[in-house]
Amino acid sequence: MMKNQPDKKDPKEKLVDELVDFVSKAKVGTRVQEKTREQIQQKLQDWEMDHRRLLETNVRLSSVNAESAELMAELEFRNQSLGELNKKLAEANASSATMVVEIEEKNEILAKTNKELARANAHAAELMAIIEAKEEDIQKLNKSLSGANARSANLVADVELKMLEINDLNKCLTKEIDVREIIEQDLRTSNATKDKFFSIIAHDLRHPFNSISNFVTLMSKHAAALSKSDIIALSKELKESTDNTRDLLENLLQWAQAQRGTTPFKPEVIALAEITEEIVALLGPMAKEKKIQIESNVTTKTLVFADWHMLSTILRNLVSNAIKFTPESGKITMRATENDGMIQITVNDTGIGMSREKVEKLFKVDQQVVSRGTSNEKGTGLGLILCKELVEKNGGLIFAMSESGKGSTFAFTLPESP
């Protein structure tokens, strides 16, 4: 027997059916109608309540459906992530399998190594047994070595003492060598000075004396035949030769005194302009004969601390040399500048100049520097050597700068005050 099928009508349709049923029954009377109306109203209220609940249920169902959709989406995303994790897990499993294989291989190698270590340990044990058996021999050797070390220590001490003695001897020898080198240098300088001295006496003094002798002989034998102009010319040449010989002798004597250390030395504060003016007056006539202008740009306020006579000799030699090697219509200038408590005095000329090689030989007694002036004047280099010694005696330095065809500059320094 089949069960009754549930009523599938809509709630509204059910309500209408009930209303119709109530209306048909309402014909029994007024009271029945009133009761029927009340029932209808009650049914309507129930229906509204059911409808409202149904609406709320639909809203909740919509919300549940939305949440379900979100859950489904999240579930799908997690399923995808789970798929990716499964892939990675599969890869990791594959890698783990590879690593397991490698570990097994390494375990095999380790097992072989352990076997080799076991054999090595056995061999070491055998060696230890041999070493223990040799301990007595080793102890005997140690005793022998201890004795040898003691003897070696004694030998080392003896060697150190010998080394100290050798070092002392080396120091003494070094000092003796230094002293000998100084003596040899002094001897070389002395020999060079002696050679220079004899060279000047043998050549530079003999030549002017021969010239003087020839002039005197010529004038004494042919005085009657010589005209007044000839006598004046010969007298002029005789005077020049005599002056040169006098200057040479004076330099030679001063140099000899300097070598013996007997040159008087009396430094004092000097107005430099007084000496430069004296040099201009002294050598002016010689310069005038070659139409050379001598100029002093030294101010009267420039002071130096030096020996007057030595300073005069230095400037006279430097200016005299400048006249020798400056052609006609040239110019010689003396200047002075101050620098850090020292006065630098320069003698500059517009002469023929010198090569660098010749400049490097100046002021050295063991170097031969022979030059001819623009009027065939002969220079020995003695004056510059004397200048160097006198400048250094007064606490200064001297140097030269020159270039062939462009003149020369000789400069030296002197202290400004004591």
Side-chain angles (χ1 to χ4, degrees):
M1 185 174 177
M2 294 181 63
K3 292 182 180 180
N4 291 329
Q5 295 290 329
D7 192 359
K8 296 183 178 179
K9 289 185 179 181
D10 186 74
K12 289 183 180 181
E13 291 179 355
K14 289 181 179 182
L15 182 62
V16 172
D17 291 340
E18 290 178 358
L19 287 175
V20 173
D21 186 37
F22 281 120
V23 170
S24 61
K25 291 178 179 180
K27 293 179 180 182
V28 257
T30 306
R31 288 182 179 178
V32 174
Q33 290 177 358
E34 290 177 359
K35 188 177 180 179
T36 301
R37 189 180 297 114
E38 290 175 0
Q39 291 177 351
I40 290 170
Q41 288 176 351
Q42 182 64 40
K43 290 291 183 178
L44 285 173
Q45 289 176 0
D46 293 340
W47 179 82
E48 287 177 357
M49 289 295 292
D50 292 338
H51 183 68
R52 194 176 292 113
R53 290 189 191 99
L54 184 61
L55 289 175
E56 290 176 356
T57 302
N58 286 333
V59 171
R60 286 195 295 273
L61 284 174
S62 298
S63 175
V64 169
N65 288 334
E67 291 178 357
S68 298
E70 291 177 358
L71 289 171
M72 288 299 293
E74 185 177 355
L75 184 60
E76 289 179 359
F77 174 75
R78 291 187 179 182
N79 284 333
Q80 291 178 357
S81 300
L82 185 60
E84 292 177 358
L85 287 172
N86 286 331
K87 288 181 182 179
K88 292 181 179 178
L89 184 60
E91 293 174 356
N93 288 332
S95 177
S96 297
T98 304
M99 292 178 67
V100 167
V101 173
E102 291 178 356
I103 290 170
E104 290 177 352
E105 293 176 353
K106 290 182 178 179
N107 285 332
E108 291 178 0
I109 295 170
L110 185 61
K112 292 179 181 178
T113 304
N114 287 331
K115 290 180 180 179
E116 292 177 357
L117 285 173
R119 286 195 296 269
N121 288 331
H123 184 62
E126 293 176 358
L127 290 175
M128 286 299 296
I130 294 170
I131 291 171
E132 288 175 357
K134 296 291 184 178
E135 276 186 355
E136 292 182 2
D137 295 336
I138 292 171
Q139 290 176 357
K140 292 178 181 179
L141 287 173
N142 284 333
K143 289 180 181 179
S144 300
L145 287 173
S146 298
N149 287 333
R151 290 192 296 272
S152 297
N154 294 331
L155 288 173
V156 168
D158 293 339
V159 169
E160 288 178 351
L161 289 174
K162 295 293 182 182
M163 288 298 295
L164 291 173
E165 293 176 1
I166 291 170
N167 287 333
D168 292 338
L169 289 173
N170 284 334
K171 290 178 181 179
C172 294
L173 287 173
T174 302
K175 290 180 181 179
E176 187 174 349
I177 289 170
D178 292 339
V179 171
R180 287 186 179 182
E181 287 179 353
I182 293 170
I183 293 172
E184 288 176 0
Q185 182 61 36
D186 291 341
L187 286 174
R188 285 193 292 270
T189 304
S190 178
N191 287 334
T193 302
K194 180 185 66 176
D195 294 341
K196 187 77 173 177
F197 184 81
F198 286 124
S199 174
I200 292 170
I201 292 175
H203 299 91
D204 299 312
L205 279 178
R206 184 174 62 182
H207 177 72
F209 277 119
N210 287 339
S211 298
I212 293 170
S213 178
N214 291 335
F215 286 139
V216 172
T217 301
L218 181 62
M219 292 179 69
S220 63
K221 288 184 178 180
H222 305 284
L226 295 174
S227 64
K228 185 176 180 180
S229 60
D230 292 335
I231 293 173
I232 292 173
L234 288 172
S235 299
K236 184 178 178 181
E237 293 181 8
L238 181 60
K239 183 179 183 306
E240 288 179 359
S241 181
T242 305
D243 290 342
N244 290 335
T245 304
R246 180 200 62 209
D247 293 341
L248 180 59
L249 279 172
E250 187 172 347
N251 283 338
L252 194 61
L253 290 172
Q254 287 186 348
W255 183 47
Q257 286 180 333
Q259 297 306 306
R260 295 197 308 270
T262 59
T263 305
F265 180 60
K266 297 178 181 179
E268 58 183 313
V269 177
I270 302 169
L272 183 60
E274 294 181 8
I275 294 186
T276 57
E277 290 171 3
E278 178 184 281
I279 297 300
V280 171
L282 179 65
L283 300 178
M286 184 190 302
K288 189 175 181 181
E289 291 178 0
K290 296 178 69 172
K291 300 178 182 178
I292 295 173
Q293 179 186 355
I294 302 178
E295 185 178 278
S296 173
N297 293 335
V298 180
T299 65
T300 56
K301 295 181 180 180
T302 304
L303 303 176
V304 294
F305 183 71
D307 182 273
W308 178 287
H309 182 67
M310 290 183 180
L311 179 55
S312 177
T313 300
I314 295 165
L315 283 172
R316 176 171 53 80
N317 273 286
L318 294 179
V319 175
S320 178
N321 279 346
I323 294 171
K324 286 180 184 179
F325 298 102
T326 299
E328 289 188 358
S329 303
K331 186 177 180 180
I332 299 169
T333 306
M334 289 181 284
R335 295 185 178 88
T337 56
E338 189 273 335
N339 183 20
D340 196 20
M342 298 294 286
I343 302 297
Q344 179 171 299
I345 305 160
T346 58
V347 177
N348 176 261
D349 65 58
T350 58
I352 58 177
M354 292 175 286
S355 65
R356 181 181 298 178
E357 291 77 12
K358 188 172 286 187
V359 172
E360 290 176 354
K361 292 181 180 180
L362 298 176
F363 310 113
K364 295 179 181 178
V365 72
D366 57 344
Q367 297 290 333
Q368 187 70 16
V369 183
V370 179
S371 303
R372 292 283 179 177
T374 54
S375 296
N376 204 33
E377 305 99 324
K378 185 179 180 182
T380 63
L382 178 64
L384 292 179
I385 295 172
L386 178 62
C387 287
K388 179 178 182 297
E389 295 196 7
L390 296 182
V391 167
E392 291 176 352
K393 180 72 174 177
N394 283 273
L397 297 172
I398 188 168
F399 57 94
M401 297 173 288
S402 184
E403 189 175 346
S404 294
K406 294 186 179 181
S408 301
T409 297
F410 285 83
F412 64 96
T413 58
L414 292 174
E416 186 176 15
S417 57

